[in-house]
Amino acid sequence: MTDKPIRRIAIIGTGVIGASWTALFLAKGLQVVATDVAPNAEAALRKFVEAAWPALERLGLSPGASQSNVRFTPALAEAVAGADLVQENGPERIDFKQKLYGQLDELLAPDVIIASSSSGLTMSEIQKGAAAHPERCVIGHPFNPPHLIPLVEIVGGAKTSEKTIRRADEFYTSIGQQTVRVNKEMPGHVANRLQAALAREVYYLVAEGVVSAADVDTALSWGPGLRWGVMGNMMLNHLGGGPGGIEHFFHQFAGPMTAWWKTLGAPVLTPEVQKKLIDSVHAEAGSRSVQELAAQRDEILLGLIELRTKRPETFAPHTVAAE
Amino acid sequence: MTDKPIRRIAIIGTGVIGASWTALFLAKGLQVVATDVAPNAEAALRKFVEAAWPALERLGLSPGASQSNVRFTPALAEAVAGADLVQENGPERIDFKQKLYGQLDELLAPDVIIASSSSGLTMSEIQKGAAAHPERCVIGHPFNPPHLIPLVEIVGGAKTSEKTIRRADEFYTSIGQQTVRVNKEMPGHVANRLQAALAREVYYLVAEGVVSAADVDTALSWGPGLRWGVMGNMMLNHLGGGPGGIEHFFHQFAGPMTAWWKTLGAPVLTPEVQKKLIDSVHAEAGSRSVQELAAQRDEILLGLIELRTKRPETFAPHTVAAE
């Protein structure tokens, strides 16, 4: 295996995730060949990239970035010919994926990484389809939409080589993504599990009538969410301990935290519970359309990403709060 | 009861929370009288307010705002004389609070709200001390530090009047805070419960070696956390359903979500688990001091609050992502 630079990406499956990956790779100056069997897939892909482009321009295009660097073909063999990396976004069915990985394994030189966007299947299962070179198969799971949210979770299967994991990590990092190495295969990897853990308590509190959807959203997005948009839980705990750091934090909060855990809810998403949640969300949204609200979300999200991607080393070393 | 404007606040207890409330109220142009029995409390309070002031200036001072509008006295009766609202930040011991509320109930006119910053005790228990007018006692729980994070959770006890809840809500809202009405007394109110639910899974994943502290922080703060700094879980679910909104979201994700819930962890914070978490946080922090990291957090936090407090109505109604 040689560490050939990764310049040409094959995108398999151009639904929402595949189209967003395409937009990102193009913005990073890479060449993309995309394939999908759906009718009108090419037109939908080009429309998505065009709609995403202003945001990508705002976040900064790499040298050579162009919407015209994508070629579309319905033929799998043609799409992956000459690819340095395959980003696979096929349906989440194990029989489909194993068969696909068998085809890819035969079509591709052994040093070409096959990265799957899957969140529902494990690479240990998927790579069983790639009999000759399972070691080059890895999960590279984005957080939707990948052209805006820079997170990529990297998880190997039982037969994935450490070299593949390292090369995938280096590749995604080289185009500005934030990578996470997940050391064990877990349902939902990491980010989706964190979302699920939070949503469980949110649904519980709204279903029990403790708060409205609007109020639980205020509590999150004007409270702990403000901080999670800035730093992660572990580092915030470290700072929450003051000069005593994480040790002092646990000394002070392990007790109350453990007590709260005992009272957290375990809702069941029955049709009745879903209806209560749905009604409360509609009361919150009021007359605002999904499109309008999504525009507000994305506008602030882009601003936050711009804030975060300023180099933090340039900040003056002073605190505005003792805590 | 008359709806007298709230212009003069008595702060009881000037530890971290009371001092931060003081700074906020001063920045909003209010008069503050603060009391605490600790030695050097006044000097520590003035130092805190001075350190907090540049951030408050950046977020915008109200007319009449001045650091000199705080008076300190160690005498409780003197501190609350003439107050329109008391913000109580005493120790989290029920015997202490009940005795204090008995004194306050005698000292104060019946239309003066007594708001407690407590997160560990319920108002139903606390207000038992205020025999004559328990109806004016309410929880007004900030999210630390209140001078930066605008969240206030409002919770009544069994004897709190709806009028008190409404007036407290109007007061905090009038000074720019984001209020949440919590309809049932719950351990940790809402925001701390959401934090606890998330932290439980974070600790589990790090303790099990699935990810490092650094990587779980990346997964949160560059993934779902970015969004939670912008909007709450319920509204994000609504937008995550695309044109079909929250109904489509549940149709698509109730299944996987429920499956993930079954696999979420329930760690026990034994000394060994705490050591593993602590070691991983130190590896993440490296040579960066708590002070330096806190300055980075606060710099981005202020920028995010500035972004969020721009009027969202002015955003153009277009989306940058289909999702």
Side-chain angles (χ1 to χ4, degrees):
Chain A
M1 265 172 119
T2 58
D3 277 18
K4 191 179 162 197
I6 294 171
R7 299 293 309 154
R8 184 186 180 118
I9 314 292
I11 299 277
I12 300 179
T14 58
V16 174
I17 300 291
S20 179
W21 273 125
T22 300
L24 176 74
F25 292 140
L26 292 174
K28 300 303 177 180
L30 303 174
Q31 303 290 320
V32 177
V33 185
T35 185
D36 199 297
V37 293
N40 299 315
E42 179 171 5
L45 172 64
R46 293 194 184 276
K47 194 175 155 195
F48 184 100
V49 171
E50 193 182 345
W53 208 253
L56 290 163
E57 283 180 318
R58 183 167 154 188
L59 293 174
L61 299 179
S62 297
S66 167
Q67 293 183 58
S68 64
N69 287 340
V70 58
R71 190 159 60 78
F72 184 90
T73 167
L76 181 68
E78 189 187 334
V80 303
D84 301 316
L85 181 142
V86 173
Q87 185 76 44
E88 173 271 311
N89 321 279
E92 293 278 63
R93 296 199 317 269
I94 191 62
D95 55 338
F96 177 92
K97 294 246 196 211
Q98 285 179 343
K99 190 176 160 207
L100 173 64
Y101 278 63
Q103 294 173 281
L104 292 172
D105 199 31
E106 285 180 16
L107 287 165
L108 294 162
D111 65 337
V112 177
I113 291 175
I114 309 174
S116 175
S117 302
S118 177
S119 69
L121 303 170
T122 63
M123 185 42 71
S124 290
E125 284 302 311
I126 295 171
Q127 70 191 171
K128 285 179 182 167
H133 291 288
E135 75 282 354
R136 52 64 171 277
C137 302
V138 66
I139 299 277
H141 177 249
F143 199 75
N144 199 30
H147 74 277
L148 290 185
I149 309 270
L151 182 64
V152 183
E153 298 175 301
I154 298 173
V155 200
K159 295 197 171 170
T160 307
S161 69
E162 180 56 30
K163 179 163 186 179
T164 296
I165 290 175
R166 182 181 54 73
R167 284 185 68 210
D169 195 341
E170 287 170 358
F171 165 65
Y172 292 120
T173 301
S174 75
I175 60 167
Q177 301 300 92
Q178 299 283 336
T179 59
V180 166
R181 288 210 194 188
V182 185
N183 302 318
K184 294 182 191 177
E185 295 179 303
M186 303 284 283
H189 310 313
V190 170
N192 277 327
R193 296 177 69 87
L194 300 183
Q195 288 209 119
L198 187 101
R200 183 161 66 170
E201 185 62 16
V202 167
Y203 297 159
Y204 169 71
L205 293 171
V206 177
E208 292 292 314
V210 176
V211 273
S212 63
D215 275 357
V216 81
D217 278 352
T218 296
L220 175 58
S221 75
W222 287 104
L226 274 181
R227 290 184 174 168
W228 293 330
V230 171
M231 273 184 183
N233 177 82
M234 297 306 303
M235 189 54 76
L236 288 167
N237 287 173
H238 186 46
L239 305 184
I246 184 72
E247 288 88 345
H248 184 68
F249 177 86
F250 278 129
H251 184 71
Q252 204 171 355
F253 293 109
M257 184 77 81
T258 302
W260 291 328
W261 286 349
K262 288 185 182 135
T263 75
L264 294 180
V268 179
L269 292 178
T270 62
E272 294 71 29
V273 166
Q274 289 189 37
K275 183 175 187 311
K276 192 158 182 182
L277 298 172
I278 287 167
D279 288 349
S280 200
V281 166
H282 283 299
E284 178 180 9
S287 62
R288 297 173 295 174
S289 70
V290 164
Q291 194 190 27
E292 195 179 339
L293 289 161
Q296 289 179 14
R297 175 197 61 188
D298 292 342
E299 176 64 26
I300 303 175
L301 196 58
L302 279 173
L304 175 54
I305 293 169
E306 286 175 322
L307 269 178
R308 293 275 304 279
T309 47
K310 287 181 193 167
R311 291 184 66 79
E313 289 79 357
T314 63
F315 297 147
H318 70 273
T319 57
V320 295
E323 183 251 13
Chain B
M1 263 172 121
T2 58
D3 277 17
K4 192 181 161 195
I6 293 171
R7 299 293 309 154
R8 185 185 178 119
I9 314 291
I11 297 278
I12 301 179
T14 57
V16 174
I17 300 291
S20 179
W21 273 124
T22 301
L24 176 74
F25 292 140
L26 293 174
K28 299 301 177 179
L30 302 173
Q31 303 289 319
V32 178
V33 186
T35 185
D36 198 298
V37 293
N40 299 316
E42 179 171 4
L45 173 63
R46 294 193 185 278
K47 194 176 156 195
F48 184 99
V49 171
E50 195 182 344
W53 209 251
L56 290 163
E57 284 180 317
R58 182 167 155 189
L59 293 174
L61 299 179
S62 297
S66 167
Q67 292 184 59
S68 64
N69 287 341
V70 58
R71 191 159 61 77
F72 184 92
T73 167
L76 181 67
E78 191 188 332
V80 302
D84 302 315
L85 181 143
V86 173
Q87 186 75 45
E88 172 271 311
N89 321 280
E92 294 277 65
R93 297 199 315 269
I94 190 62
D95 56 336
F96 177 92
K97 293 246 196 212
Q98 286 180 342
K99 190 176 161 206
L100 172 64
Y101 278 64
Q103 293 173 283
L104 292 171
D105 200 31
E106 286 180 17
L107 288 165
L108 294 162
D111 65 337
V112 177
I113 291 174
I114 309 174
S116 176
S117 302
S118 178
S119 69
L121 304 170
T122 65
M123 185 42 72
S124 290
E125 284 301 309
I126 295 171
Q127 69 191 170
K128 285 179 182 166
H133 292 288
E135 75 281 356
R136 55 47 183 281
C137 302
V138 67
I139 299 278
H141 178 249
F143 199 77
N144 200 30
H147 74 278
L148 290 186
I149 309 270
L151 182 65
V152 184
E153 296 175 300
I154 299 173
V155 201
K159 297 196 170 172
T160 306
S161 69
E162 180 56 30
K163 178 161 185 178
T164 296
I165 290 175
R166 182 181 53 74
R167 286 185 67 212
D169 196 340
E170 286 170 0
F171 165 66
Y172 292 119
T173 301
S174 75
I175 59 168
Q177 301 300 92
Q178 299 282 336
T179 60
V180 167
R181 287 208 194 189
V182 185
N183 302 318
K184 294 182 191 176
E185 294 179 302
M186 303 284 282
H189 312 313
V190 171
N192 277 328
R193 296 176 69 86
L194 300 184
Q195 289 208 119
L198 186 100
R200 183 161 64 172
E201 185 62 16
V202 168
Y203 297 159
Y204 169 70
L205 292 171
V206 177
E208 292 292 313
V210 176
V211 272
S212 63
D215 275 357
V216 80
D217 279 353
T218 296
L220 175 58
S221 74
W222 287 105
L226 273 181
R227 290 185 173 168
W228 293 330
V230 171
M231 274 185 182
N233 177 81
M234 297 305 302
M235 188 56 74
L236 288 168
N237 287 174
H238 186 44
L239 305 184
I246 184 76
E247 288 87 346
H248 184 68
F249 177 86
F250 278 130
H251 182 72
Q252 203 172 355
F253 292 109
M257 185 78 82
T258 303
W260 290 328
W261 286 349
K262 287 185 183 134
T263 74
L264 296 179
V268 178
L269 292 178
T270 61
E272 293 70 29
V273 166
Q274 288 190 37
K275 184 174 185 312
K276 192 157 182 183
L277 298 172
I278 288 167
D279 288 348
S280 200
V281 166
H282 283 299
E284 178 181 8
S287 61
R288 298 173 295 173
S289 71
V290 165
Q291 195 191 24
E292 192 179 341
L293 288 161
Q296 289 180 13
R297 174 196 62 189
D298 293 342
E299 176 65 26
I300 302 176
L301 196 58
L302 279 172
L304 175 55
I305 293 168
E306 286 175 321
L307 269 180
R308 293 277 305 277
T309 48
K310 285 181 194 168
R311 292 184 66 79
E313 289 81 357
T314 64
F315 296 148
H318 70 272
T319 56
V320 294
E323 182 249 17

